[in-house]
Amino acid sequence: MSANKYLGIIFDLDGVLCSTDEYHYEAWKAIAEEIDINNFTPKDNNRQRGVSRMESLEILLEKSERKFTDKEKLILADKKNQRYKELLNNINSFDLSDEVRVALNTLRKAGIKLAIGSSSKNAGLILERLGLGNFFDVVVDGNSITKSKPNPEVFLKAAQMIGLQPSQCLVVEDAISGIEAGTAGGFDTAGIGGVMSYPKTTYPLRDFSQIMNIVFAN
Ligand code: BG6
Ligand code: MG
């Protein structure tokens, strides 16, 4: 029997396992320019991390003077998704870094349950392209939730599906919305990139391999 505190890890996908967060930015930037928003910045994009497609659109539209109907909003979101999916065609298994691959395999061998908790409706497609289509014990994504991060639904669902309590799982995130969601759900969190120093992040992750230190030291 394992004596580890964390018996499961729930990974966010975009910006954690792969750099698709950069493609989200590029696709939204193209939409922004189409509707004459010329001051859409990475800072705005940071607020879109972890939140659903339509909520991300609302963040973008805060920068527009124009009012858009619901139908126009759906068209814009769809256009962004088409552009984003074109960019996803660039992804293949070489986009999974060695560091991530080694960590995932080491954790799997140690018997840790591994899940995805993503707001994206494209998570299945991305995992396939990375060669991880059948790797995770559980994938909870934007197709199976009704409330996106910072609501904890996605992580609570993943924990339930791997048969663990939130206190037994570590959530790995790159977004404030994701750290908030994990915290609200009763999970400890490991934060990558911009959320390393976010006050609610339990463990800052300078590099991905540190996950092993956290899991095996606790
Ligand atoms: C999250 C991203 O993983 O997925 C957000 O961090 C994105 O930026 C959300 O808006 C929804 O993604 P998709 O692929 O369903 O448009
Ligand atoms: Mg993310």
Side-chain angles (χ1 to χ4, degrees):
M1 218 175 85
S2 170
N4 294 338
K5 173 175 179 191
Y6 302 114
L7 304 178
I9 307 189
I10 309 173
F11 296 94
D12 173 49
L13 179 59
D14 295 319
V16 168
L17 296 186
C18 55
S19 302
T20 39
D21 50 325
E22 290 165 20
Y23 293 150
H24 277 296
Y25 176 60
E26 197 177 323
W28 279 126
K29 181 113 181 123
I31 297 299
E33 279 162 15
E34 245 182 66
I35 53 174
D36 300 320
I37 299 172
N38 296 311
N39 57 349
F40 179 71
T41 64
K43 208 171 156 193
D44 301 313
N45 178 241
N46 269 342
R47 286 178 53 217
Q48 295 175 314
R49 284 177 193 259
V51 305
S52 70
R53 194 179 305 162
M54 292 311 287
E55 288 168 283
S56 292
L57 174 65
E58 293 296 344
I59 291 171
L60 176 89
L61 294 183
E62 284 172 18
K63 294 222 143 169
S64 176
E65 316 254 282
R66 270 173 64 189
K67 285 272 161 278
F68 292 85
T69 64
D70 287 349
K71 197 171 160 206
E72 285 170 324
K73 287 180 185 177
L74 282 174
I75 292 169
L76 287 174
D78 192 53
K79 253 192 181 173
K80 181 267 174 178
N81 195 44
Q82 293 312 317
R83 177 70 193 123
Y84 177 60
K85 281 170 91 166
E86 277 167 29
L87 294 167
L88 290 183
N89 283 331
N90 297 326
I91 293 191
N92 59 42
S93 57
F94 292 106
D95 287 284
L96 192 67
S97 70
D98 285 344
E99 201 183 20
V100 171
R101 190 189 308 275
V102 168
L104 290 177
N105 287 330
T106 307
L107 294 163
R108 161 62 39 82
K109 278 198 194 118
I112 309 286
K113 294 269 186 214
L114 302 175
I116 294 288
S118 165
S119 304
S120 173
K121 295 188 171 171
N122 292 300
L125 170 70
I126 295 164
L127 290 170
E128 283 294 335
R129 295 201 70 91
L130 290 173
L132 293 174
N134 293 313
F135 182 82
F136 290 93
D137 296 300
V138 159
V139 175
V140 182
D141 66 14
N143 299 297
S144 37
I145 53 170
T146 55
K147 297 170 222 101
S148 88
K149 303 165 189 175
N151 189 287
E153 182 185 6
V154 70
F155 296 136
L156 291 173
K157 216 166 175 174
Q160 191 186 32
M161 286 171 73
I162 50 177
L164 295 172
Q165 296 299 317
S167 60
Q168 298 173 300
C169 301
L170 181 69
V171 160
V172 186
E173 263 293 348
D174 71 316
I176 290 179
S177 64
I179 297 290
E180 289 288 348
T183 308
F187 298 85
D188 284 349
T189 58
I192 283 179
V195 294
M196 250 170 50
S197 55
Y198 188 61
K200 290 191 185 172
T201 300
T202 317
Y203 307 99
L205 277 189
R206 259 187 325 279
D207 57 68
F208 203 83
S209 60
Q210 284 187 307
I211 293 177
M212 269 119 45
N213 303 345
I214 297 168
V215 170
F216 300 131
N218 279 285

